[in-house]
Amino acid sequence: MACANTSWSEENFSCSICLDVFKSPVTTACGHNFCRTCITKFWDEQVQDKCPVCNKLFNTRPDLQVNTFLSELLAQFRTSVGVKGQPCVEPAEVPCDVCIGTQQKAVKSCLMCFTSYCQTHLEPHQRVAGLKKHRLVEPMDRLEDRMCKKHDRLLELFCQTEQVCVCLLCPVTDHKSHPVVPLKEEYKVKTAQLGKRRAEVPQKIQERKQKIKEIKDTVELSNKDADREIAQGGQVFTALIGCVEKGRDEFNQTVKEKLKSTVKRSEDLIKELEQEIEDLTNRSSEVKRLSHTEDHLSFLQTFRSLKDPPPTRDWTTVEVRPPSYEGTLRRSLDQLEETLNMETKKLRDDAELKRVQKYEVDVTLDPDTAHPQLILSEDGKQAHDGGLVKALPHNPKRFKEYICVLTRQSFSSGRFYFEVQVKYKTNWLLGVARESIDRKGRIEWTPETGYWTLWFDKDGLVFGDNTYVDLPLRAELQKVGVFVDYDEGLVSFYDVEARVHIYSATGCTFTEPLYPILDPCSYAGANSGALIISPVNQTD
């Protein structure tokens, strides 16, 4: 191919859109040339595709192909005119520090001159004897940052003590006795560390996504709990409002009854007075007529037949007093307070029981812990005293002194709830115990020894504490619910059938797994029945 015309200027190879030397020149159907990127961006911003020079409209966007002939001419032009004809440096490339105007990409960097050179401006370093001794390296950006500020030498080493890059003279001066290694060696170490960290990132991201899910699940559960609590609270307050309204109606009725009694008495007295008035009026008329009779015989005969005046009441002591309402309101309010207290406790206990029943767990009795005298059902839900001690293999987990059994399941956090049927039993014990309890000797049933239990016998109902807590004996106690909040240190007992709270041990300290524990106590007549772990019947 013939040499490029050296009279050509940069304007001959400039895009009319960006006004710079073509980059990947393409030609439109109307014969005008543009950078591929420029014409594509121009069309993207237009309503209809057209040529920016002649405004020719295109029904469909042309399929642009690189103008190979123009590209070859452009290459020759760059070679012949040097710097001025070079394309702009790409973002990832190092520019020549000597070029004026449009910069050419550097092909080498000189560590003596602290300068990067394109192929044209590198020529003196390849020709001049003094410059040939300079150290040339692959193009580097910001050479001044790669040089030691103190010794004006290339940073080629890494100080492991101070974790900084140093030059060859630094280990002799400021970094004397510090371990230093070549940058390449430290680079391998750091990239390995980076690779490890990068490998950890997906796991950390997944962990945080999981944590977000847990938090969202907690919020969703909290919303449901709040809705349920509001609904239950609404029922409680509605019931209490009903009690207040009933008390108000009873108070109004009491006042009205007192008023009615007063009105009735008044009406009866008035009726009696009116009758006396009528009788007296009639008597007065008869006397008046007789007093006007002048016939002596007739007067005397009539006077003889004149009836005695009707008896009259002494009204001087008779009075009607307004009804007294003193104390009526106070008595009504006292009665209302008593009713509200009873109803509040009943509703509160019912709502509380509903709430803790949500934490029901399925537990079964562990035969390895059962006293040799106990008989367990096949499903592990019932235990009763068989009356005879069975010959069983030694097991360190088995109770020896007391007729007890633990469940297979234990709990070390959170909340759990279970119910035990005690119907027809005259003696029993149940609750929870920690894992390390003494299972062989005689002990006190207290939290100090690892037991949080409720027991029942002929003397009543008791919670085992350092000082035993005597509890009100509940009539016909049939089923007992046990709730534990491990983290809050709470153990609560409930009368399930009556839906009443029996007792709560608060401020407990749990440091070991807790096991539900049952003791049906010795076989003795009416106490021969079993303790039965029952499914929870959750009411709405």
Side-chain angles (χ1 to χ4, degrees):
M1 181 178 289
C3 294
N5 186 349
T6 56
S7 64
W8 288 343
S9 66
E10 187 173 305
E11 286 73 20
N12 297 116
F13 296 93
S14 296
C15 171
S16 58
I17 296 177
C18 66
L19 304 180
D20 207 342
V21 177
F22 288 120
K23 296 184 249 339
S24 298
V26 295
T27 305
T28 60
C30 55
H32 295 106
N33 300 311
F34 309 93
C35 300
R36 179 192 290 274
T37 303
C38 294
I39 188 62
T40 301
K41 182 178 180 182
F42 176 83
W43 282 342
D44 289 341
E45 296 172 350
Q46 301 297 314
V47 176
Q48 188 172 5
D49 298 334
K50 64 179 180 179
C51 175
V53 176
C54 64
N55 290 326
K56 177 179 175 61
L57 297 177
F58 304 107
N59 294 328
T60 59
R61 180 173 294 191
D63 184 15
L64 299 174
Q65 301 293 328
V66 175
N67 188 325
T68 55
F69 177 75
L70 182 58
S71 296
E72 290 177 1
L73 287 178
L74 185 60
Q76 290 187 35
F77 171 73
R78 288 172 178 159
T79 302
S80 63
V81 300
V83 176
K84 191 174 182 180
Q86 293 300 322
C88 291
V89 179
E90 297 295 328
E93 296 175 339
V94 178
C96 174
D97 294 327
V98 181
C99 288
I100 300 174
T102 303
Q103 287 183 301
Q104 180 182 2
K105 73 175 182 178
V107 294
K108 293 291 182 180
S109 294
C110 178
L111 299 181
M112 300 295 289
C113 302
F114 298 159
T115 305
S116 296
Y117 299 102
C118 64
Q119 188 61 52
T120 301
H121 294 116
L122 183 64
E123 186 270 336
H125 278 73
Q126 299 171 330
R127 175 173 50 81
V128 180
L131 297 178
K132 284 184 178 182
K133 298 178 180 180
H134 288 190
R135 184 179 174 185
L136 298 177
V137 295
E138 291 304 308
M140 295 182 178
D141 194 17
R142 299 180 60 85
L143 278 174
E144 65 276 9
D145 294 339
R146 298 174 179 268
M147 305 302 293
C148 176
K149 299 294 188 292
K150 185 172 183 180
H151 303 110
D152 289 334
R153 287 178 173 268
L154 184 67
L155 299 172
E156 299 180 84
L157 303 175
F158 186 81
C159 174
Q160 294 179 326
T161 300
E162 298 188 15
Q163 295 290 298
V164 294
C165 297
V166 298
C167 71
L168 292 173
L169 293 180
C170 287
V172 183
T173 57
D174 298 342
H175 295 266
K176 190 175 183 180
S177 76
H178 292 181
V180 294
V181 294
L183 292 181
K184 185 176 182 180
E185 183 177 330
E186 187 64 23
Y187 171 80
K188 291 181 179 178
V189 174
K190 289 293 191 288
T191 51
Q193 293 176 354
L194 187 63
K196 183 179 179 181
R197 291 178 184 175
R198 187 171 60 186
E200 294 173 350
V201 168
Q203 180 181 353
K204 290 183 177 180
I205 291 175
Q206 187 59 37
E207 289 174 352
R208 281 147 182 78
K209 287 183 177 180
Q210 181 62 31
K211 182 57 68 175
I212 290 174
K213 182 179 181 302
E214 290 176 4
I215 293 173
K216 287 183 176 179
D217 290 344
T218 300
V219 171
E220 182 178 356
L221 179 61
S222 298
N223 285 329
K224 291 180 180 178
D225 288 344
D227 291 341
R228 182 172 61 250
E229 197 70 15
I230 290 172
Q232 291 178 351
Q235 293 175 359
V236 170
F237 283 107
T238 298
L240 293 178
I241 291 171
C243 289
V244 173
E245 290 177 343
K246 181 179 179 182
R248 178 198 61 195
D249 294 342
E250 289 176 351
F251 168 75
N252 291 344
Q253 186 63 30
T254 299
V255 173
K256 289 178 180 179
E257 288 293 336
K258 285 192 173 188
L259 176 61
K260 182 178 179 182
S261 176
T262 301
V263 171
K264 177 68 168 56
R265 171 170 163 72
S266 299
E267 290 175 346
D268 290 344
L269 291 175
I270 291 171
K271 186 176 181 180
E272 185 177 349
L273 285 166
E274 288 176 342
Q275 183 62 49
E276 287 193 4
I277 291 172
E278 182 181 352
D279 292 343
L280 291 171
T281 301
N282 292 336
R283 178 70 174 181
S284 176
S285 297
E286 291 178 1
V287 170
K288 185 178 180 180
R289 283 196 303 273
L290 183 60
S291 64
H292 288 88
T293 302
E294 296 180 356
D295 185 344
H296 298 164
L297 178 62
S298 176
F299 174 85
L300 292 173
Q301 289 177 339
T302 303
F303 184 84
R304 183 178 178 182
S305 63
L306 186 66
K307 297 179 179 179
D308 294 332
T312 57
R313 185 173 182 176
D314 183 5
W315 292 97
T316 58
T317 60
V318 177
E319 61 179 5
V320 177
R321 295 181 179 178
S324 174
Y325 302 115
E326 294 299 328
T328 304
L329 180 59
R330 177 179 54 77
R331 287 190 293 273
S332 294
L333 291 177
D334 288 344
Q335 180 62 44
L336 176 60
E337 182 180 9
E338 183 179 347
T339 302
L340 285 176
N341 287 338
M342 294 175 58
E343 191 68 18
T344 299
K345 185 179 186 309
K346 178 181 176 182
L347 294 170
R348 182 184 64 233
D349 289 355
D350 182 66
E352 182 178 318
L353 184 56
K354 286 180 181 178
R355 186 164 56 249
V356 300
Q357 284 180 326
K358 304 293 183 182
Y359 298 98
E360 176 191 8
V361 291
D362 184 17
V363 292
T364 53
L365 301 174
D366 183 2
D368 289 341
T369 67
H371 185 278
Q373 204 165 307
L374 280 179
I375 297 178
L376 306 185
S377 62
E378 291 186 4
D379 61 1
K381 298 293 185 179
Q382 302 184 28
H384 72 274
D385 176 19
L388 297 174
V389 177
K390 301 186 293 294
L392 297 175
H394 171 74
N395 192 322
K397 297 193 299 182
R398 190 181 308 283
F399 284 93
K400 180 180 179 181
E401 184 68 28
Y402 295 100
I403 308 176
C404 296
V405 61
L406 300 179
T407 62
R408 297 177 184 273
Q409 298 77 15
S410 64
F411 304 90
S412 301
S413 64
R415 303 163 183 167
F416 63 94
Y417 174 85
F418 62 96
E419 292 180 354
V420 180
Q421 181 177 304
V422 298
K423 190 176 182 180
Y424 307 128
K425 297 285 291 178
T426 60
N427 198 358
W428 49 262
L429 176 145
L430 59 88
V432 292
R434 66 182 179 220
E435 188 173 40
S436 64
I437 52 174
D438 180 7
R439 309 184 190 195
K440 304 303 181 182
R442 298 188 67 84
I443 47 88
E444 292 291 330
W445 300 90
T446 66
E448 192 173 89
T449 58
Y451 295 89
W452 291 265
T453 55
L454 193 71
W455 79 74
F456 172 78
D457 60 17
K458 61 182 178 58
D459 296 324
L461 198 59
V462 175
F463 175 76
D465 207 336
N466 296 329
T467 300
Y468 290 163
V469 181
D470 293 320
L471 302 170
L473 185 59
R474 305 205 58 78
E476 300 181 0
L477 184 58
Q478 299 182 24
K479 188 180 293 186
V480 176
V482 182
F483 171 71
V484 176
D485 188 329
Y486 191 100
D487 302 318
E488 290 295 325
L490 172 69
V491 180
S492 296
F493 299 89
Y494 299 88
D495 180 343
V496 177
E497 297 302 321
R499 307 197 66 78
V500 173
H501 171 259
I502 298 175
Y503 182 76
S504 285
T506 59
C508 307
T509 301
F510 304 131
T511 58
E512 302 177 24
L514 294 179
Y515 289 82
I517 182 172
L518 274 65
D519 181 354
C521 297
S522 299
Y523 173 92
N527 196 45
S528 61
L531 288 180
I532 305 173
I533 299 174
S534 305
V536 173
N537 180 22
Q538 296 183 3
T539 58
D540 295 330

